[in-house]
């Protein structure tokens, strides 16, 4: 990868929620493609447990509260393998998904279950209490017609801007120019659900390859850039 920059993707779903690949397959795919840092972010859902966007007709499939301990243990286990086999840092995370009021919140370096039915402020507070990072994903998705249910964070961005450590300036193929224009802290992620989604916007971070350095760089948001990762053009 570019010298001294880490190739990162912090928004990845596995078949522990609504992604297609198993965690092991995700690690191998990203490892083979030369990634430095990945954050796994399977959905945890409020009640009633429905995944509204894109999958509204499907059965809900997410990490249930009672499965959360096993979810984390599996991530820790794969994290060790990712490091040993690929030199890739795997950071446990979750997409805290409130479909009643329409907001998703990405947590990077989650350590304990967080109840998604709480207010945005309480969820972000819980994230920060764990020393984790709170990101507003796909903040004003809506142009494609299926994002109206997810507009809550953007509709209230004046109120929420200082709560979050960063906002997604790009999600998969979409660029959210308003995040850049407003000079919010930003990162870019794939919102990976299918293997083809690896070819999409990513974050580059200029920092050492460990969890605390990565979190500090997202918070400082100085050595951050975005990168369109494409087939055959990537490395
Ligand atoms: Zn989402
Ligand atoms: Zn997602």
């Amino acid at each position: 990868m570019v010298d001294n920059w880490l190739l990162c993707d912090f928004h990845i779903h596995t078949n522990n929620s609504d992604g297609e690949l198993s965690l092991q397959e995700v690690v191998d795919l990203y490892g083979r493609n030369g990634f430095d840092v990945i954050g796994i972010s399977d959905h945890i859902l409020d009640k009633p447990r429905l995944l509204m966007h894109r999958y509204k007709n499907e059965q809900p499939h997410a990490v249930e509260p009672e499965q959360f301990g096993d979810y984390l243990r599996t991530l820790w286990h794969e994290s060790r393998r990712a490091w040993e086999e690929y030199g890739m840092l795997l950071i446990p995370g979750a997409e805290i998904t409130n479909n009643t009021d329409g907001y998703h919140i990405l947590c990077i370096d989650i350590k304990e279950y967080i109840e998604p039915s709480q207010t945005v402020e309480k969820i972000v507070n819980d994230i920060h209490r764990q020393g984790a990072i709170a990101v507003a994903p796909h903040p004003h998705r809506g142009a494609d017609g299926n994002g109206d249910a997810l507009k809550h964070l953007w509709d209230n961005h004046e109120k929420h801007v200082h709560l979050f450590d960063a906002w997604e300036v790009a999600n998969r193929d979409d660029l959210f120019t308003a995040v850049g224009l407003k000079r919010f802290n930003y990162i870019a992620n794939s919102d990976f659900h299918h293997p083809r989604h690896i070819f999409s916007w990513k974050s580059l971070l200029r920092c050492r390859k460990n969890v605390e350095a990565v979190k500090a760089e997202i918070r400082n948001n100085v050595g951050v850039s975005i990168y369109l990762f494409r087939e055959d053009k990537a490395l």
Side-chain angles (χ1 to χ4, degrees):
M1 200 46 235
V2 188
D3 280 352
N4 302 321
W5 290 83
L6 303 178
L7 177 59
C8 312
D9 188 352
F10 299 103
H11 191 162
I12 298 172
H13 298 277
T14 74
N15 63 8
N16 283 317
S17 64
D18 58 352
E20 191 174 299
L21 301 185
S22 68
L23 176 61
Q24 291 78 3
E25 288 169 324
V26 164
V27 165
D28 289 331
L29 179 65
Y30 277 80
R32 282 198 309 268
N33 276 278
F35 277 73
D36 296 295
V37 185
I38 59 170
I40 303 296
S41 59
D42 277 306
H43 291 280
I44 54 180
L45 296 179
D46 65 334
K47 289 181 182 167
R49 300 198 193 287
L50 296 169
L51 280 175
M52 287 169 73
H53 72 300
R54 255 175 287 150
Y55 301 98
K56 63 179 104 176
N57 297 322
E58 295 183 2
Q59 285 294 323
H61 192 189
V63 181
E64 299 291 332
E66 60 275 13
Q67 297 169 335
F68 195 74
D70 284 342
Y71 169 72
L72 273 188
R73 275 187 284 280
T74 315
L75 288 176
W76 292 334
H77 185 266
E78 277 300 299
S79 166
R80 181 179 301 182
R81 186 176 75 86
W83 186 255
E84 286 171 358
E85 287 191 26
Y86 301 106
M88 181 173 74
L89 195 62
L90 184 161
I91 307 178
E95 186 168 15
I96 298 153
T97 303
N98 183 310
N99 282 329
T100 305
D101 295 315
Y103 49 88
H104 296 183
I105 298 174
L106 211 58
C107 177
I108 302 171
D109 195 26
I110 197 165
K111 297 168 191 78
E112 286 172 30
Y113 186 80
I114 294 173
E115 176 51 53
S117 60
Q118 302 180 97
T119 62
V120 173
E121 289 80 359
K122 286 202 170 126
I123 289 172
V124 173
N125 202 31
D126 276 2
I127 290 173
H128 287 156
R129 239 193 343 239
Q130 299 185 19
I133 294 278
V135 177
H138 42 67
H140 64 299
R141 181 181 278 164
D144 58 0
N146 65 10
D148 285 352
L150 290 172
K151 284 180 66 200
H152 179 86
L153 292 183
W154 187 254
D155 286 347
N156 297 282
H157 67 267
E158 306 282 355
K159 190 169 106 186
H160 294 143
V161 59
H162 297 297
L163 276 180
F164 289 99
D165 299 291
W167 296 64
E168 276 184 349
V169 72
N171 175 286
R172 197 173 306 155
D173 302 313
D174 293 330
L175 276 168
F176 302 123
T177 49
V179 170
L181 288 168
K182 287 183 177 286
R183 303 188 184 283
F184 292 175
N185 281 0
Y186 69 90
I187 55 173
N189 296 314
S190 65
D191 205 350
F192 181 95
H193 287 80
H194 301 285
R196 67 178 181 277
H197 295 161
I198 196 169
F199 302 113
S200 61
W201 287 104
K202 300 290 183 294
S203 304
L204 298 177
L205 295 188
R206 196 174 50 204
C207 64
R208 285 172 295 121
K209 202 190 293 189
N210 67 64
V211 177
E212 292 307 318
V214 164
K215 290 192 296 181
E217 199 52 59
I218 294 173
R219 287 189 200 103
N220 294 338
N221 225 252
V222 176
V224 182
S225 186
I226 65 172
Y227 179 77
L228 188 53
F229 185 84
R230 284 185 158 163
E231 204 165 5
D232 298 326
K233 298 180 184 174
L235 295 172

